[in-house]
Amino acid sequence: MLTLIYRLIVALVILLVGWNLFTEKKLTMQMNCALVLIPLVLRVLMIK
């Protein structure tokens, strides 16, 4: 049950960071968002 809640919270964070990735105008901030998304996606998929 806790794993499901954890995955939902991380999925919500992925959505928010992804939204920021596509609405941000600066390339450096877009690259930062992309770098943050990589480990989050791996966590949702439970890949270490």
Side-chain angles (χ1 to χ4, degrees):
M1 182 67 176
L2 284 176
T3 305
L4 179 65
I5 295 170
Y6 173 73
R7 289 173 97 175
L8 289 173
I9 291 170
V10 175
L12 176 66
V13 172
I14 287 174
L15 287 174
L16 294 174
V17 173
W19 179 287
N20 193 24
L21 173 67
F22 291 113
T23 58
E24 186 63 48
K25 302 229 184 305
K26 293 182 184 177
L27 180 62
T28 55
M29 292 302 290
Q30 288 177 343
M31 291 175 12
N32 281 339
C33 288
L35 288 174
V36 167
L37 276 176
I38 294 169
L40 290 174
V41 170
L42 292 174
R43 285 189 185 271
V44 165
L45 298 174
M46 294 295 181
I47 300 173
K48 287 189 177 185

